[in-house]
Amino acid sequence: MFSPSQEEHCAPNKEPVKYGELVVLGYNGSLPNGDRGRRKSRFALYKRPKANGVKPSTVHVISTPQASKAISCKGQHSISYTLSRNQTVVVEYTHDKDTDMFQVGRSTESPIDFVVTDTISGSQNNDETQITQSTISRFACRIVCDRSPPYTARIFAAGFDSSKNIFLGEKAAKWKNPDGHMDGLTTNGVLVMHPRGGFTEESKPGVWREISVCGDVYTLRETRSAQQRGKLVENETNVLQDGSLIDLCGATLLWRTADGLFHTPTQKHIEALRQEINAARPQCPVGLNTLAFPSINRKDVVEEKQPWAYLSCGHVHGYHNWGHRSDTEANERECPMCRTIGPYVPLWLGCEAGFYVDAGPPTHAFTPCGHVCSEKSAKYWSQIPLPHGTHAFHAACPFCATQLAGEHNCVKLIFQGPID
């Protein structure tokens, strides 16, 4: 246990109840240009001073666009399902005193609590690499949390806009369920994967599903925006668990429950592990100079003492300029210790504590990016298929979103000196 004890956390007049946190994959602790306002790499959901949840109430079937506008302008939340030019079903929503609602999307309008932009692999997200056409919906999804214990959090596709409406146009996949209620999917869909066995050392990847506007669970469509919905999965729910992944087609978010975060290493613990490695004074086996992981706030600048590793074998060295195998493959080098040929990269400590499944020492590096974390965390992430584009899946480093390569996606590091 690396965070304050439960008793201390629940003392009266302390901070409000925390439901959990959303952490965006691909950022190692903060956005490249710094976290600002509602745009950041992680977002904590706290119990609101006043409930803002909503629940479905009245259903109207309307034959003229004017009438549907009149209903959606009444100032209360509503979802409109356009069935044809002359038929729209509008479901009005009413205040729900028992839930809090949080909205996630690309829009910077006020209804969005957490603004998410497309993650560019390798974390090279800066203003110059702005994606021209984002695939993340402006009002992508909403998370609804019960205000009373156990503070269950549920996810729904689509979010309400500034006029408090969700509008599913003629082209969106939508249908009437046997019980009569309307439902639908958003253009690129909201996918969720619950890990099997929670978010622990024993976790295994679960199955990716699609969540509907009303929170039902479906198998995936053939492609992200196909008109035909998948099959209803009746024995699964939209309740988020510790370690659930939410994919918005352009960014993937990890949900950590407040309880799960109690058992996760903290930033302080990761910093202590970094200092422990450095205190053991690992050495370059060739240059015999001492190596040191840079401090967490220097995590993007290659420093003189930075450890480098041959990712095919895991031997850790200081930087050197020999061993090139060819002019074309600039990064293919021969390890002077064991003659194995492969990528040679600087090592970076994984600083985002939310991605760790345990508190073990940082002994393994992802291939080919060189982010370092505990063995169990590296092995967990290296077997998770993350959505990529409209129908591909591949494993990626959680710290920088780089697609993993190589036989095992991660390698055990071999340090020279007292550490090994």
Side-chain angles (χ1 to χ4, degrees):
M1 179 78 88
F2 298 99
S3 19
S5 68
Q6 213 102 2
E7 295 75 39
E8 186 189 327
H9 215 75
C10 299
N13 306 326
K14 284 270 174 109
E15 58 184 70
V17 169
K18 185 182 199 173
Y19 296 131
E21 281 187 18
L22 289 168
V23 191
V24 190
L25 267 60
Y27 302 104
N28 195 8
S30 66
L31 299 186
N33 301 320
D35 290 348
R36 297 191 196 109
R38 291 173 295 153
R39 193 172 288 192
K40 43 195 169 189
S41 67
R42 64 192 302 168
F43 172 66
L45 283 67
Y46 288 100
K47 186 173 183 177
R48 297 189 185 274
K50 231 170 105 199
N52 74 332
V54 292
K55 55 188 176 188
S57 61
T58 325
V59 180
H60 306 267
V61 180
I62 291 150
S63 52
T64 67
Q66 289 78 12
S68 105
K69 267 205 177 76
I71 285 180
S72 54
C73 287
K74 275 169 48 177
Q76 70 189 102
H77 292 80
S78 68
I79 302 183
S80 306
Y81 301 87
T82 306
L83 302 180
S84 65
R85 271 181 198 165
N86 48 18
Q87 194 180 36
T88 300
V89 176
V90 179
V91 181
E92 286 189 302
Y93 277 63
T94 180
H95 177 67
D96 180 3
K97 65 179 192 336
D98 299 320
T99 62
D100 284 337
M101 179 169 70
F102 302 87
Q103 299 207 142
V104 181
R106 184 171 47 87
S107 170
T108 54
E109 289 179 31
S110 57
I112 294 295
D113 297 285
F114 188 29
V115 179
V116 176
T117 49
D118 294 71
T119 303
I120 297 162
S121 168
S123 240
Q124 301 309 309
N125 294 29
N126 53 36
D127 297 333
E128 290 82 64
T129 52
Q130 261 319 271
I131 287 191
T132 45
Q133 197 64 53
S134 175
T135 44
I136 300 174
S137 169
R138 292 172 62 242
F139 300 90
C141 70
R142 57 201 196 280
I143 291 171
V144 176
C145 302
D146 289 346
R147 286 174 64 84
S148 50
Y151 306 116
T152 305
R154 295 177 175 82
I155 183 164
F156 300 82
F160 294 99
D161 64 18
S162 297
S163 315
K164 301 185 177 175
N165 297 319
I166 290 172
F167 181 79
L168 293 180
E170 263 184 87
K171 292 195 174 129
K174 57 193 132 20
W175 59 89
K176 187 183 260 191
N177 280 311
D179 64 2
H181 84 261
M182 293 296 301
D183 203 351
L185 304 172
T186 53
T187 306
N188 288 328
V190 172
L191 308 188
V192 171
M193 189 203 80
H194 306 301
R196 287 177 299 156
F199 195 66
T200 65
E201 302 174 23
E202 310 307 320
S203 298
K204 292 278 180 287
V207 180
W208 283 99
R209 302 292 195 206
E210 180 161 12
I211 301 294
S212 73
V213 171
C214 294
D216 283 339
V217 181
Y218 287 85
T219 59
L220 302 189
R221 292 179 261 183
E222 270 187 33
T223 61
R224 285 299 281 249
S225 55
Q227 287 279 289
Q228 191 59 45
R229 71 178 190 264
K231 291 190 171 69
L232 178 69
V233 185
E234 295 193 35
N235 59 343
E236 292 180 26
T237 73
N238 63 337
V239 171
L240 292 174
Q241 306 162 12
D242 191 34
S244 291
L245 287 167
I246 301 162
D247 188 82
L248 305 177
C249 196
T252 308
L253 282 58
L254 171 70
W255 169 255
R256 298 301 316 267
T257 60
D259 189 53
L261 287 166
F262 272 127
H263 303 92
T264 294
T266 57
Q267 209 81 45
K268 268 191 186 146
H269 177 71
I270 292 171
E271 174 58 18
L273 291 172
R274 182 186 78 86
Q275 290 179 9
E276 204 175 302
I277 284 189
N278 291 352
R281 299 174 64 79
Q283 289 193 325
C284 172
V286 179
L288 301 181
N289 46 319
T290 302
L291 308 174
F293 277 100
S295 70
I296 282 172
N297 55 7
R298 299 276 298 160
K299 62 174 192 277
D300 299 319
V301 186
V302 179
E303 300 197 344
E304 205 185 330
K305 289 180 156 189
Q306 187 118 7
W308 286 61
Y310 287 88
L311 293 181
S312 295
C313 57
H315 281 113
V316 178
H317 291 256
Y319 179 71
H320 50 245
N321 206 10
W322 64 78
H324 288 281
R325 294 296 295 174
S326 71
D327 298 334
T328 48
E329 284 294 332
N331 209 20
E332 289 292 297
R333 303 274 198 101
E334 182 179 274
C335 172
M337 301 294 287
C338 65
R339 313 301 294 270
T340 306
I341 294 162
Y344 173 65
V345 301
L347 297 177
W348 304 98
L349 201 56
C351 306
E352 175 48 74
F355 298 146
Y356 282 76
V357 297
D358 70 339
T363 53
H364 283 62
F366 288 108
T367 309
C369 60
H371 276 104
V372 180
C373 63
S374 68
E375 176 180 9
K376 295 263 172 75
S377 301
K379 290 192 169 161
Y380 176 70
W381 286 105
S382 64
Q383 58 183 338
I384 290 207
L386 293 169
H388 180 70
T390 56
H391 50 267
F393 288 81
H394 59 59
C397 168
F399 301 105
C400 69
T402 298
Q403 182 172 345
L404 299 183
E407 211 177 314
H408 303 295
N409 294 342
C410 63
V411 63
K412 183 179 186 343
L413 296 172
I414 303 163
F415 287 92
Q416 167 88 12
I419 274 192
D420 198 11

